[in-house]
Amino acid sequence: MNVFSPQQFKPAVSEDVWVPSACALCYGTCSILAHRIDGTVIKIEGNPDSAVGKGRLCGKGVSGIMTHYDPNRLRYPIRRTNPKKGLHEDPGWKRISWTEAMDEIADVLRKVHADDPRKLVVQRTTTVTASRVPMHAFGSAFGTPNFSVSGGGLHCGNGAHLISGIMHASWSIVPDFEYCNYAIFFGASKGHSAGHASCSNMAKAADARARGMKMVVVDPLCNFAAAKATEWVPLRVGTDAALALGMCNIMVNDLGVYDGPYLQAKTNAPYLIGPDKLYVRHPQSKTPLVWDTRTGSARPFNEVPAADMALEGEFTVDGTPCRPAFHRLREHLRKFSPDWAERISGIPAATVRRLAKEFATEARIGSTIVVDGVSLPYRPVAAIAFRGAQGHKNSVYNFYAVDLLNHLVGAADVVGGCLGFNPTSHGHPETGGVRYIPTAGPDGLMVVGSWMGYHYPYPPPEPRLPKNLGLQDLFVIGMTSPFLDSTDREQMWEKFDVPYRPEVMINFGANLVMSIANKDAVAESLSKYKFIVSFDLFLTETSNFVDIILPDCSYLQSLDGRANFPFIFSLPGGLGEWCWPIRQPVLPPDGEQRQFAEVLLELADRVGFRADLNAAYNAWLDLQPPYRLTGDNRYGYEDICDRELKNNFGAERGLDWFKDNGLIKWKKKPEEVYWRPFVDVRVPVYWEFLKPIGDKIAAIAEPRGLKVPLEYYDPLPDFLPCRSHCCNKPGFDFYGFYYRDVVHTNSFTMENPWLDEAARLDPFSYTIAINRAEAAKRGFADGQQVWVESESGRKVGGRLKLTEGIHPEGLGFAAMCGHWTDGQPVAKGKGVFYNDLLDLDFEHASPVNINLDLCVKVRVTPAEHAP
Ligand code: SF4
């Protein structure tokens, strides 16, 4: 045996650096430091200098190294040889050169561009936030209105984001962890799991709990937040609005607790409402009227001091009987008694009363506090909702009802209350860059200062005969749409005379077959495309439908001038710092990998729309002279990133400066964080605008044979049941639902061997959670193999995990597992593919925001063998 001294093993180190960049294992985009030694990244840590993550990474972020170095990564372009597309068709991949790939793709795009650019669908994953600008700029310059984020919005935020935009001018809501004393979460786990600003919020939430913040988590599952909460309140799946409305009723009608001055000054609560449920308006200016208690007359809202506006009373204006919106709301809430809430949600009436009382008491209405020398309203309570609450047919009302709790007590964007993620930025102190502030729009209601969806949440566009495939021209409250792939898409397009069909798709990283709904529906839709090109890291289940796959760079090989969407998305709310990090390549491409953003620029040149693309980039990045892109000049992606950074932070802080420093940051002012008292805008506690939208949609849709359930378009929230709540089939006695596993990001990370190992150690990641007592009643054992069957006959198989931590009627599935592609051997065959139970059509979507209903009534039966 040869014996060597340790010295002999030690390689000569020529390079040992920590490179600041950004994670992309989920859309949290935490700032990282990648430790590179001699060209190999050996470790990834959080960047303590950054507010995005605050030096923390979750298990996925730490494991990113294994995704990057996965031997199954694609390294060169491939083309299918088998023209037949199907879930189980072998595409017969063959390697092709970039020249061949680009020639063919450009040729296809050139033809569709000349024929009808709307036939192009631009699809992307939401996991990599930085894909948004390049993909959308490309699509809008090309001339298509057809964008989608695969299952992104349908499973996540169609309801949450839009309502957060209307009520908080932001993409999401979160408690003001620094000052909140009582937070109630509905189907949300902000600060305890994945999601926006997840790692930063984990630090803030932990500090808040240590400080004594009481946390109540309302959820069918004792989830990641509930596990750390003061109290877990299990509820029947999809009934969040019932509890929230029951609490609102107790607060306003039994306890008489509400913040009158806030409602008068900051909401449309005093606006007079006529018998038609609409505002009573000034005959000439059409401005909504309020009742002026000082003069005893109806006057435009913008001419009356807030304190003089009546919140209640019966009035007559020009012969029209009317009442303030708050009066109507108060009356409306009376029907939501605690007993009614108990019947719907399963939560005892006494608990509904107690939670309402606690929330009302802890709100400390009327109190103020001094923060950094500024005296501000102090309402240390927050009601938070997210994916779980809004992922239902009753999506809008579930979220609206929860947020109403905040507005009734004035706990919106004030100290201790419910905060939007940074809706007001006064800009960089030296350059003024990245400045945005909400403004007052039609009827004095708030218009966001910054937004990342397809259209501003308010004012919604006028419904019209749709020209886009997702029908968002008609369903104008919707963002992501199911109708690109739904089983009724062709009937819908025919009904509305959509004059073209999708033919070509450019996909960035989305695994549509797994992420939208049942695989057969999506497969049928994808097989109709004449040509699909996809930028991917790995082969996925969707690859079976792709014509050419281009090997993308991983996040450790990529450049993004904006690593996250600034600042309403991933930057934590509350006090602290503004922070703009970049993502920069830590490693070069391996093989023939190329970053998608550069490839898109080349395709625009080849097809011949570079001037339009330059104009689109100017608009998307808000580039101002001298940094605007001009004419059809051929800028590289590095140059575009450099221009955006200089545009925002000055000529001396371009890409080179950011590569050295990783990020720029500056202190937030209290007037930015707690902006509500400083910005003269109102938000709707009475959604008057919803009714005319519903009526207009019905006027277009119903003559064409589509019944629009107008009860979803009433200005005041209600509990309206999901399909699952109406299923009475014998044996179908569980509500199936899925939840985001902290170990995984949707279906994306299952190929990562470290995360797979963690998931296999976790009793719940790859199993189906069932209530222990309910399982015992049916003779089910822990670990038993079962079939789970939906009302419409779809089936998935898996192994049961018995637990006390789930509502007796719930059946919980973690993440989006169950891969079957050979391209991801680590992921293959692990866990359960919940989405395969989901139907995909108008009947299973919210008729307002077209969010997919994610709960399914199911039957569980023993399986003789592993399904
Ligand atoms: S939360 Fe998301 S972005 Fe942050 S470290 Fe984890 S995977 Fe990466």
Side-chain angles (χ1 to χ4, degrees), residues 721-742:
C722 297
R723 283 280 297 246
S724 63
H725 298 128
C726 305
C727 168
N728 296 314
K729 265 184 155 178
F732 286 73
D733 42 14
F734 287 100
Y735 293 92
F737 67 97
Y738 80 91
Y739 58 96
R740 283 182 171 169
D741 190 3
V742 73

Side-chain angles (χ1 to χ4, degrees), residues 23 25-26 28-30 57-58 60-61 198-199:
C23 184
L25 269 284
C26 86
T29 57
C30 299
L57 294 184
C58 76
K60 293 166 292 197
S198 34
C199 285

Side-chain angles (χ1 to χ4, degrees), residues 75-103:
R75 284 175 173 74
Y76 43 82
I78 50 176
R79 200 203 189 292
R80 70 183 307 123
T81 54
N82 178 2
K84 209 162 160 213
K85 296 178 178 180
L87 284 169
H88 304 293
E89 284 293 333
D90 178 358
W93 296 116
K94 76 162 186 188
R95 180 175 180 168
I96 57 172
S97 70
W98 270 97
T99 308
E100 287 172 280
M102 294 296 273
D103 284 350

Side-chain angles (χ1 to χ4, degrees), residues 100-428:
E100 287 172 280
M102 294 296 273
D103 284 350
E104 184 172 349
I105 297 164
D107 194 41
V108 169
L109 289 177
R110 219 175 282 119
K111 284 185 185 133
V112 78
H113 191 249
D115 171 24
D116 186 340
R118 298 174 299 180
K119 293 179 179 177
L120 174 70
V121 172
V122 174
Q123 187 80 241
R124 69 181 176 89
T125 172
T126 50
T127 302
V128 183
T129 319
S131 67
R132 180 175 170 273
V133 171
M135 293 294 281
H136 280 257
F138 183 90
S140 52
F142 190 87
T144 181
N146 295 310
F147 298 90
S148 185
V149 288
S150 187
L154 294 174
H155 286 252
C156 181
N158 268 357
H161 301 317
L162 191 107
I163 300 172
S164 300
I166 290 172
M167 307 301 277
H168 298 269
S170 182
W171 198 245
S172 272
I173 53 176
V174 72
D176 179 18
F177 286 119
E178 272 89 6
Y179 287 95
C180 185
N181 291 335
Y182 187 98
I184 179 163
F185 283 48
F186 291 75
S189 55
K190 299 275 184 216
H192 304 82
S193 179
H196 315 101
S198 34
C199 285
S200 332
N201 279 337
M202 284 189 214
K204 284 178 169 247
D207 290 347
R209 293 193 310 268
R211 179 176 55 76
M213 180 184 83
K214 183 171 179 187
M215 223 178 92
V216 178
V217 174
V218 181
D219 201 293
L221 187 77
C222 186
N223 65 7
F224 305 102
K228 295 190 169 70
T230 324
E231 180 179 358
W232 169 47
V233 180
L235 91 168
R236 184 169 290 131
V237 174
T239 61
D240 305 72
L243 172 61
L245 291 169
M247 288 175 65
C248 288
N249 178 33
I250 299 282
M251 283 185 353
V252 171
N253 288 315
D254 286 11
L255 305 174
V257 172
Y258 54 89
D259 188 338
Y262 170 84
L263 292 167
Q264 286 170 311
K266 296 293 176 186
T267 75
N268 68 351
Y271 290 14
L272 293 173
I273 308 295
D276 57 0
K277 301 185 177 179
L278 302 178
Y279 297 146
V280 179
R281 295 175 182 272
H282 187 274
Q284 278 81 45
S285 69
K286 304 298 178 201
T287 307
L289 300 174
V290 297
W291 191 261
D292 183 345
T293 53
R294 200 170 44 79
T295 62
S297 63
R299 296 177 58 205
F301 77 90
N302 48 4
E303 295 178 10
V304 180
D308 294 338
M309 295 178 182
L311 284 175
E312 295 188 73
E314 311 244 353
F315 309 104
T316 302
V317 178
D318 293 335
T320 303
C322 51
R323 289 177 293 170
F326 179 72
H327 190 141
R328 290 192 75 116
L329 170 63
R330 193 171 187 171
E331 291 302 314
H332 173 78
L333 290 173
R334 285 190 201 284
K335 67 177 175 176
F336 306 118
S337 70
D339 291 334
W340 169 87
E342 176 174 339
R343 274 198 306 281
I344 302 294
S345 70
I347 297 170
T351 305
V352 179
R353 281 194 196 91
R354 174 176 57 79
L355 294 174
K357 191 167 179 209
E358 287 174 3
F359 193 83
T361 307
E362 295 284 354
R364 305 188 193 190
I365 292 173
S367 59
T368 57
I369 191 170
V370 175
V371 175
D372 285 354
V374 184
S375 179
L376 296 159
Y378 178 51
R379 302 285 182 281
V381 292
I384 303 299
F386 195 54
R387 201 194 65 83
Q390 61 96 73
H392 299 280
K393 192 160 175 133
N394 197 31
S395 178
V396 170
Y397 288 160
N398 272 354
F399 200 96
Y400 173 11
V402 172
D403 195 37
L404 205 46
L405 288 162
N406 298 313
H407 293 278
L408 286 172
V409 299
D413 305 293
V414 297
V415 183
C418 168
L419 302 181
F421 281 51
N422 312 295
T424 294
S425 162
H426 292 180
H428 185 264

